[in-house]
């Protein structure tokens, strides 16, 4: 294609916005459900979050234009500022967080989740740290783990187990890309195995119960167990071609509280059936493959590591989120990129895509 | 590159697994899930959370959960709200408009069970069950209600339950609590809520068109809460409440040998099963006067004055002072409660007759700073640390804000104490200077019989007082009851030692109100019981009389049956629950 020769990041952007439109279509349907009608009565309009999401997309697009132009190698130095700032924000949210779980910081009319920022900043920091360092040297290996552990522990405390777990996985993928010897990976697994019983012993009974229901939702047939069953009914009842747009019965009666966020994949599966699921997964596959092609195309090590890290975020979040709705993975509170309602993540995702396009368009160090 | 190839394959495999799983759910299992979705037949039925029992020191129940019948409805299954409201209002005592309001309110999950009325009478259960076929979506369900066997008599000790408030939810969000949960809101129910509260259980079921259970899809066993065994004796509690009657005030008793609280009554009280009824009433029914009421200690404080004066050798046992009924200090005239005066007396007579001139004089000799030091030494001015919520600390002021030695010596000025602090003071005299931390819960036992917490007596501090001083003081306290101001508390056959106290509050312009207090211990030579009776409005004589009634019942019932049913006989140690 001619266009992509002049602007090689174009393909990535097109795929991104196709996915975003897909998400808006689903979100509009979700806004017609009972739950959203009763919950957002304070504004008199159930599609409030549909419009909010649009605002975030516009903001994110503006951000994307900036990150696409801003010479990305500067981040190698900027992380010295960004990383401590993120840690500070995570501390602030622990101290003054809103809601039942302390995850939010309120900025004007918007709630912001520093954990979403932490994902991207960790990728940049790890990439900066690992560039021109040998991951197979014990000190560097330990350094990367420390770099990950600090935000992961703070996020775990919120408590947001899913995101903390995601950070660790992203770190592993980046280490792998940086050339980590397989036996070191083994060391990590052994470390996790050894440390978990120690952690377990220090926990209060109610914390243990929470972890157990996280791993085995059927322990709690009303909370997570109920959600999982309803989620499977919703997906299964969609069949091959689905019940039709805006005609999902499960989602409209609100058997799950989170059809617009964590469980939006159910809505897709119910209204568009296996056919819709296949199209969505196909699109997402193209998107992920495009990210990996950026990795292959880039000669700059920092750029390659950043791209791998961001790829890991998009890949793992989608797989974990969908596995969760299908009952293949514990319920984790991880949103589906570009689809789930959620401002902070949409913003960070678009900034990341801008950064990726930037890397794709500047593959060589001059 | 090797890594990218591996990652591409990882993506392919992962997405393929997701697609296969969707294929399984949406194609192979389609008939099953489609049917479930069409019939809307999944229900959750949560069971109530049984709380632990609260039992007295001998295992007699003070509070427990009883089964009851609740009327509930499922919004989704309700066929015609207006008609059913019309029918139902004849069956239960409830307004039709109120019923319609409940029926038409919007609920988050249309399949949740909503309680229409708790604790139905047997007649209501019968009539609703008979007409069940006319009331689709409405049915009777077993529930739980908290029963307090002593009612108002133990209201402040045990507390009450209530729905969790927004603020509490924020504070205890980590404790597994959620909106709508019922938790302890006062007294022991609050203080030990984490132990008493169990974990909810219930079932997840598939129902048929009529609402019958077809298949249980998930089940969670409930876990009842832990039981509390108190140091309090139920009989003692009842006797104390009865003796106090309708007098505004409180009674608190404790074993001076270990700090175990034996009875704790405050009046006016609320009905723990319907606390909201007391919200509108006057007289502060939710105030636990024993630990939250702060009053000038009055003449009971002369105990501290006497110890301070003798210990600092400001006077000697046989020093005599003349009371003419009044004394002039600077330009202030200071009165004794006995207008014509007590004449010449020494400390052995001044305490039983509670002579203000005598104690004012020795207070001045001792100095206000040393009086206040002794007050602090006896742990006044700080919470005793009892295991009940909301304890106040009282006040031992700084020297320059105290109101002077004359006032402090007789327990006036800006001194404030809670009745529990007075009890702690008199108990420490009874046992020779040991200040025990008062406590109410002796043991926490899990439903399986495991000992979860075992509380042992805790000695806060020992105040050293010379044996000579102690002997003079104890003789004086005995004489208070033998021939002095507290003679109304005398018990035939048992020697009682105590001190009366009357304190004024307010000014002569606004109308004086007097508090009457009596603090005592018995038997005088080998004390196993200490007691404080405090009256918001009343004379100390009346307080002594009430104390006398309680002591007679408790001490004499012991001698009669000797069965060890009450606390005082049982040696007061830990092996006896």
């Amino acid at each position: 294609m001619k266009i992509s020769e002049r602007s090689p990041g174009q393909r990535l952007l097109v795929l991104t916005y196709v996915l975003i439109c897909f998400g808006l279509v689903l979100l509009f349907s979700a806004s017609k459900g009972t739950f959203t009608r009763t919950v957002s009565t304070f504004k008199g309009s159930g599609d409030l979050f549909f419009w909010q999401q649009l605002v975030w997309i516009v903001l994110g697009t503006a951000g994307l234009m900036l990150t696409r132009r801003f010479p990305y190698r500067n981040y190698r130095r900027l992380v010295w500022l960004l990383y401590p700032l993120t840690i500070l924000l995570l501390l602030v949210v622990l101290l003054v967080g809103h809601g039942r779980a302390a995850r939010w910081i309120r900025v004007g009319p918007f709630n912001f989740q520093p954990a979403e920022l932490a994902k991207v900043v960790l990728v940049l920091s790890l990439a900066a740290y690992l560039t021109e360092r040998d991951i197979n040297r014990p000190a560097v290996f330990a350094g990367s783990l420390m770099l990950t552990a600090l935000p992961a522990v703070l996020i775990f405390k919120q408590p947001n187990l899913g995101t903390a777990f995601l950070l660790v996985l992203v770190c592993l993928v980046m280490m792998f890309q940086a050339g980590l010897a397989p036996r070191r990976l083994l060391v990590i697994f052994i470390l996790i195995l050894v440390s978990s019983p120690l952690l377990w012993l220090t926990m209060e009974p109610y914390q243990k119960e929470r972890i157990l229901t996280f791993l085995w939702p059927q322990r709690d047939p009303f909370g997570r167990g109920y959600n999982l069953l309803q989620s499977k009914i919703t997906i299964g009842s969609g069949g091959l071609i689905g019940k039709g747009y805006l005609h999902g019965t499960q989602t409209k009666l609100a058997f799950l509280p989170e059809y617009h966020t964590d469980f939006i994949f159910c809505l897709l599966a119910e209204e568009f059936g296996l056919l819709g699921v296949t199209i969505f997964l196909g699109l997402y596959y193209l998107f992920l493959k495009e990210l990996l092609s950026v990795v292959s195309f880039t000669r700059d090590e920092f750029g390659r590591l950043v791209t791998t890290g961001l790829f890991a975020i998009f890949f793992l979040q989608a797989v974990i989120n969908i596995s969760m709705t299908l009952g293949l993975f514990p319920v984790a509170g991880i949103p589906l990129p570009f689809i789930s309602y959620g401002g902070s993540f949409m913003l960070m995702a678009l900034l990341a895509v801008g950064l990726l396009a930037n890397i794709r368009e500047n593959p060589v160090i001059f | 590159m090797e890594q990218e190839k591996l990652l591409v394959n990882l993506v392919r495999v992962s997405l393929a697994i997701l697609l296969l799983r969707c294929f399984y759910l949406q194609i192979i299992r389609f008939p099953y899930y489609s049917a479930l979705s069409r019939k809307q037949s999944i229900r959750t039925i949560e069971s109530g959370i049984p709380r632990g029992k609260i039992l007295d020191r001998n295992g007699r129940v003070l509070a427990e959960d009883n089964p009851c019948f609740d009327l509930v409805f499922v919004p989704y299954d309700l066929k015609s709200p207006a008609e059913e409201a019309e029918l139902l209002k004849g069956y239960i005592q409830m307004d039709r408009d109120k019923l319609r309001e409940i029926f038409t309110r919007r609920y988050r999950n249309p399949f949740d069970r909503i309680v229409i009325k708790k604790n139905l009478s047997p007649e209501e259960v019968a009539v609703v069950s008979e007409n069940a076929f006319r009331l689709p979506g409405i049915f009777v369900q077993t529930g739980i209600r908290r029963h307090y066997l002593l009612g108002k008599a133990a209201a402040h000790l045990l507390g009450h339950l209530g729905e969790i408030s927004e603020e509490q939810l924020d504070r205890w969000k980590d404790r597994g609590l959620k909106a709508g949960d019922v938790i302890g809101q006062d007294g022991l129910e609050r203080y030990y809520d984490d132990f008493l509260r169990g974990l909810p259980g219930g079932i997840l079921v598939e129902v048929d068109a009529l609402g019958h259970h077809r298949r249980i899809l998930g089940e969670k066993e409930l876990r009842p809460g832990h039981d509390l065994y108190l140091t309090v004796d139920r009989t003692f509690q009842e006797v104390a409440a009865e003796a106090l009657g309708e007098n505004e005030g409180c009674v608190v008793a404790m074993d001076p040998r270990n700090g175990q609280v034996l009875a704790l009554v405050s009046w006016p009280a609320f009905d723990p099963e319907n606390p909201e009824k007391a919200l509108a009433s006057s007289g502060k029914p939710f105030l636990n006067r024993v630990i939250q009421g702060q009053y000038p200690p009055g003449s009971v404080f002369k105990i501290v004055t006497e110890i301070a004066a003798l210990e600092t050798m400001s006077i000697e046992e046989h020093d005599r002072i003349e009371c003419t009924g009044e004394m002039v200090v600077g330009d202030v005239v200071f009165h004794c409660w006995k207008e014509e005066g007590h004449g010449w007396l020494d400390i052995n007579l001044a305490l039983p007759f509670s002579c203000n001139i005598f104690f004012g004089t020795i207070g001045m000799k001792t100095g206000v700073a040393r009086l206040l030091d002794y007050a602090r030494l006896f742990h006044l001015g700080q919470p005793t640390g009892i295991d009940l919520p909301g304890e106040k600390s009282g006040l031992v002021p700084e020297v320059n804000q105290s109101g002077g030695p004359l006032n402090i010596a007789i327990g006036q000025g800006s001194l404030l104490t809670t009745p529990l602090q007075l009890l702690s003071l008199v108990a420490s005299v009874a046992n020779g200077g040991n200040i025990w931390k008062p406590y109410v819960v002796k043991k926490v036992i899990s439903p399986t019989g495991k000992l979860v917490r075992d509380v042992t007596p805790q000695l806060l501090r020992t105040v050293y007082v010379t044996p000579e001083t102690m002997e003079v003081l104890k003789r004086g306290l005995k004489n208070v009851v033998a021939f002095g101001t507290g003679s109304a508390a005398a018990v035939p056959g048992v020697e009682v030692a105590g001190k009366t106290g009357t304190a004024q509050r307010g000014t002569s312009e606004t109308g004086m109100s007097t508090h009457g207090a009596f603090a005592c211990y018995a038997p005088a030579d080998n004390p196993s019981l200490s007691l404080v009776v405090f009256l918001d409005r009343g004379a100390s004589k009346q307080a002594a009389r009430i104390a006398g009634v309680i002591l007679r019942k408790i001490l004499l019932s012991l001698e009669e049956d000797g069965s060890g049913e009450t606390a005082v006989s049982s040696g007061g140690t830990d092996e006896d629950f």
Side-chain angles (χ1 to χ4, degrees):
Chain A
M1 272 189 290
K2 239 183 178 161
I3 281 178
S4 56
E5 268 162 35
R6 260 189 288 117
S7 176
Q10 205 85 327
R11 199 178 142 82
L12 184 66
L13 298 183
V14 169
L15 279 167
T16 302
Y17 282 92
V18 168
L19 282 170
I20 286 177
C21 290
F22 209 118
L24 281 175
V25 167
L26 294 177
L27 205 57
F28 183 75
S29 175
S31 73
K32 299 297 169 200
T34 335
F35 167 72
T36 50
R37 259 189 278 123
T38 48
V39 160
S40 47
T41 40
F42 61 97
K43 287 276 187 215
S45 145
D47 27 31
L48 176 70
F49 58 74
F50 175 80
W51 296 110
Q52 273 188 348
Q53 184 85 335
L54 261 181
V55 171
W56 281 107
I57 290 169
V58 171
L59 281 175
T61 304
L64 179 146
M65 290 181 195
L66 290 177
T67 51
R68 193 179 173 193
R69 295 281 169 254
F70 182 74
Y72 72 87
R73 288 178 193 91
N74 289 340
Y75 290 116
R76 282 188 68 179
R77 271 170 287 122
L78 265 178
V79 289
W80 292 106
L81 188 70
L82 287 174
Y83 187 82
L85 189 77
T86 307
I87 299 297
L88 192 74
L89 280 176
L90 288 174
L91 282 171
V92 167
V93 89
L94 268 188
L95 296 176
V96 297
H98 281 277
R100 299 283 161 264
R103 295 181 184 180
W104 310 88
I105 290 181
R106 192 177 281 275
V107 187
F110 295 108
N111 285 322
F112 185 72
Q113 281 200 45
E116 301 298 353
L117 178 69
K119 289 175 190 166
V120 176
V121 171
L122 177 69
V123 166
L124 291 174
S125 311
L126 270 179
Y129 181 73
L130 288 174
T131 305
E132 287 159 24
R133 281 195 180 86
D134 180 8
I135 181 66
N136 286 314
R137 277 179 47 220
V140 175
F141 177 70
S144 341
L145 282 186
M146 301 276 277
L147 222 50
T148 309
L150 187 55
V153 166
L154 290 175
I155 291 170
F156 180 81
K157 281 262 176 197
Q158 286 182 352
N160 185 345
L161 275 66
T163 304
F165 177 63
L166 183 79
L167 288 192
V168 176
L169 287 184
V170 168
C171 169
L172 292 184
V173 173
M174 289 180 72
M175 286 173 156
F176 172 70
Q177 174 69 27
L180 182 72
R183 65 191 161 83
R184 304 247 175 221
L185 271 175
L186 204 70
V187 171
I188 296 179
F189 282 117
I190 290 171
L191 264 177
I192 293 172
L193 276 181
V194 169
S195 65
S196 51
L198 289 175
L199 203 67
W200 184 256
L201 286 175
T202 62
M203 278 193 286
E204 303 269 341
Y206 66 88
Q207 288 174 321
K208 289 183 186 172
E209 187 60 34
R210 192 178 286 167
I211 305 266
L212 287 174
T213 52
F214 175 84
L215 293 173
W216 293 283
Q218 58 271 27
R219 277 182 72 90
D220 182 11
F222 309 109
R224 298 184 186 285
Y226 176 81
N227 284 357
L228 185 59
L229 177 69
Q230 290 295 356
S231 165
K232 283 200 282 191
I233 293 174
T234 308
I235 293 170
S237 64
L240 181 62
I241 55 166
K243 295 175 184 167
Y245 187 52
L246 300 178
H247 285 86
T249 51
Q250 291 283 114
T251 36
K252 295 299 170 283
L253 273 169
F255 289 95
L256 288 176
E258 289 159 348
Y259 272 118
H260 57 306
T261 55
D262 289 359
F263 285 93
I264 198 158
F265 183 80
C266 297
L267 192 136
L268 162 68
E270 186 187 25
E271 297 194 346
F272 296 102
L274 186 61
L275 216 60
V277 170
T278 312
I279 292 172
F280 172 74
L281 289 180
L283 277 173
Y284 211 84
Y285 171 68
L286 291 180
F287 172 76
L288 291 175
K289 216 170 149 249
E290 185 61 22
L291 295 194
L292 287 175
S293 85
V294 176
V295 179
S296 322
F297 202 75
T298 308
R299 290 289 142 257
D300 172 32
E301 199 192 351
F302 175 66
R304 286 160 48 84
L305 284 169
V306 170
T307 312
T308 308
L310 296 177
F311 156 81
I313 293 176
F314 286 120
F315 169 55
L316 292 169
Q317 285 212 185
V319 170
I320 291 173
N321 175 282
I322 298 171
S323 303
M324 165 185 86
T325 62
L326 292 170
L328 296 173
F329 196 80
V331 185
I334 297 260
L336 187 57
F338 306 122
I339 310 292
S340 290
Y341 169 72
S344 313
F345 186 66
M346 179 59 88
L347 182 65
M348 292 319 300
L350 283 170
L351 291 179
V353 169
L355 182 58
L356 287 164
N358 186 340
I359 295 170
R360 176 65 184 80
E361 286 156 8
N362 302 284
V364 198
I365 311 168
F366 294 104
Chain B
M1 292 289 282
E2 219 178 293
Q3 276 102 331
E4 284 91 273
K5 262 197 196 123
L6 215 133
L7 289 176
V8 170
N9 284 329
L10 191 64
V11 169
R12 284 180 185 149
V13 171
S14 311
L15 296 188
I17 289 173
L18 297 182
L19 199 59
L20 275 175
R21 176 72 175 169
C22 283
F23 180 80
Y24 171 76
L25 291 177
Q26 298 189 290
I27 305 298
I28 296 175
R29 300 278 283 157
F30 174 70
Y32 173 70
Y33 286 121
S34 181
L36 282 184
S37 160
R38 260 200 324 277
K39 286 185 288 184
Q40 312 288 12
S41 50
I42 303 295
R43 302 281 188 278
T44 55
I45 301 165
E46 245 184 271
S47 66
I49 322 170
R51 276 177 90 80
K53 287 188 195 128
I54 303 180
L55 306 103
D56 88 337
R57 61 188 297 126
N58 298 310
R60 288 177 298 180
V61 176
L62 299 174
E64 66 183 346
D65 277 350
N66 279 348
C68 67
F69 292 106
D70 299 336
L71 191 64
V72 299
F73 84 107
V74 174
Y76 186 84
D77 293 340
L78 205 62
K79 296 292 177 270
S80 49
E83 278 171 43
E84 292 184 43
E86 193 64 44
L87 271 173
L88 205 56
K89 81 162 205 272
Y91 301 153
I92 59 171
Q93 299 299 315
M94 232 169 151
D95 195 50
R96 191 193 55 186
D97 291 338
K98 175 96 170 97
L99 282 168
R100 286 176 78 159
E101 194 269 315
I102 294 176
F103 287 159
T104 50
R105 207 183 292 160
R106 219 181 242 159
Y107 296 98
R108 213 199 74 179
N109 184 340
F111 298 100
D112 275 347
R113 293 180 174 211
I114 313 292
V115 175
I116 303 171
K117 190 180 182 189
K118 266 198 87 68
N119 198 18
L120 296 178
S121 71
E123 296 76 37
E124 288 171 334
V125 173
V127 70
V128 170
S129 307
E130 273 167 31
N131 294 286
F133 65 96
R134 285 184 232 206
L135 299 166
I138 298 177
F139 44 96
V140 174
Q141 175 182 288
T142 52
I144 287 174
R145 92 201 153 86
R146 193 74 163 159
H147 180 45
Y148 296 93
L149 281 84
L150 295 190
K152 288 185 175 183
H156 297 94
L157 174 66
L158 302 180
H160 62 91
L161 302 182
E163 202 167 294
I164 188 165
S165 70
E166 282 285 317
E167 183 213 353
Q168 290 169 329
L169 202 53
D170 268 354
R171 204 149 18 117
W172 297 309
K173 58 191 169 195
D174 285 346
R175 302 271 140 166
L177 290 165
K178 58 182 192 306
D181 277 350
V182 169
I183 61 169
Q185 294 291 13
D186 208 347
L188 292 172
E189 295 274 25
R190 161 77 260 132
Y191 200 91
Y192 288 94
D193 189 57
D194 283 346
F195 287 109
L196 288 165
R197 187 164 27 83
L199 287 173
I203 48 175
L204 185 63
V205 287
E206 193 186 320
V207 295
D208 61 20
L210 292 169
H212 298 304
H213 299 181
R214 247 174 57 185
R215 208 151 62 92
I216 295 183
L217 300 165
E219 191 163 8
K220 188 178 172 194
E221 245 182 86
L222 56 85
R223 202 163 72 207
H226 299 315
D227 293 340
L228 301 184
Y229 283 80
L230 308 190
T231 59
V232 169
D233 183 282
R234 185 172 144 180
T235 312
F236 204 150
Q237 181 80 15
E238 285 172 316
V239 165
E242 200 191 314
L244 183 63
E246 301 281 317
N247 292 301
E248 257 178 58
C250 61
V251 177
V252 57
M254 136 178 141
D255 188 330
R257 295 165 299 184
N258 48 29
Q260 294 186 349
V261 172
L262 301 170
L264 191 154
V265 180
S266 179
W267 193 267
F270 54 89
D271 174 1
E273 286 171 36
N274 302 292
E276 62 285 344
K277 279 187 194 160
L279 284 172
S281 67
S282 60
K284 299 186 180 168
F286 289 99
L287 183 75
N288 183 350
R289 286 162 165 77
V290 175
I291 58 170
Q292 293 166 335
Q294 302 182 98
Y295 314 90
S299 298
V300 178
F301 191 75
K302 285 174 184 161
I303 293 173
V304 177
T305 307
E306 176 160 336
I307 292 175
L310 289 171
E311 289 291 282
T312 58
M313 293 193 270
S314 306
I315 59 151
E316 300 210 353
E317 190 190 339
H318 298 292
D319 287 353
R320 281 154 46 101
I321 291 167
E322 189 187 9
C323 167
T324 58
E326 62 175 49
M327 67 193 278
V328 182
V329 181
D331 50 2
V332 181
V333 184
F334 187 71
H335 295 278
C336 189
W337 62 270
K338 193 173 178 183
E339 272 174 45
E340 64 273 27
H342 286 103
W344 286 94
L345 31 62
D346 66 5
I347 205 161
N348 288 318
L349 284 178
L351 190 70
F353 293 127
S354 199
C355 177
N356 284 349
I357 302 298
F358 183 92
F359 277 93
T361 309
I362 67 169
M364 286 203 295
K365 283 188 179 173
T366 311
V368 67
R370 290 200 285 196
L371 290 179
L372 295 173
D373 282 348
Y374 268 87
R376 287 193 199 94
L377 211 50
F378 279 96
H379 219 262
L380 301 181
Q382 54 179 307
T384 65
I386 191 172
D387 46 347
L388 283 172
E391 190 189 6
K392 293 282 196 295
S393 60
L395 178 71
V396 175
E398 294 304 316
V399 173
N400 54 0
Q401 284 153 3
S402 61
L406 274 173
N407 280 317
I408 293 297
I410 61 166
Q412 295 277 359
S414 48
L415 269 179
L416 290 175
T417 52
T418 64
L420 184 65
Q421 287 173 327
L422 291 185
L423 179 67
S424 172
L425 171 67
V426 77
S428 66
V429 171
N431 66 34
N434 291 327
I435 297 174
W436 294 95
K437 180 166 154 182
Y439 65 103
V440 182
V441 169
K442 191 157 65 160
K443 281 186 162 80
V444 181
I445 307 273
S446 81
T448 54
K450 216 176 77 190
L451 186 63
V452 178
R453 183 183 274 191
D454 188 11
V455 185
T456 50
Q458 196 184 332
L459 188 61
L460 293 176
R461 83 166 55 129
T462 299
V463 182
Y464 179 75
V465 179
T466 52
E468 295 75 25
T469 300
M470 227 17 152
E471 205 197 309
V472 173
L473 176 64
K474 286 189 154 189
R475 197 187 318 131
L477 292 175
K478 267 196 268 186
N479 289 338
V480 168
V481 179
F483 58 80
T485 52
S487 51
V491 179
V494 183
E495 220 174 352
V496 178
K499 183 73 197 81
T500 52
T502 307
Q504 268 118 39
R505 197 189 241 182
T507 58
S508 44
E509 286 89 49
T510 60
M512 289 281 209
S513 73
T514 57
H515 307 299
F518 187 68
C520 64
Y521 57 86
D525 293 323
N526 184 22
S528 60
L529 168 63
S530 52
L531 175 75
V532 164
V533 176
F534 189 92
L535 300 176
D536 266 27
R537 269 183 282 273
S540 56
K541 276 228 167 66
Q542 197 189 348
R545 201 157 36 240
I546 291 171
V549 170
I550 297 172
L551 291 173
R552 268 190 290 281
K553 282 214 175 132
I554 296 297
L555 297 172
L556 298 181
S557 75
L558 286 182
E559 280 185 6
E560 276 164 26
D561 55 36
S563 65
E565 202 181 272
T566 47
V568 197
S569 64
S570 59
T573 49
D574 306 286
E575 285 73 46
D576 55 9
F577 88 89

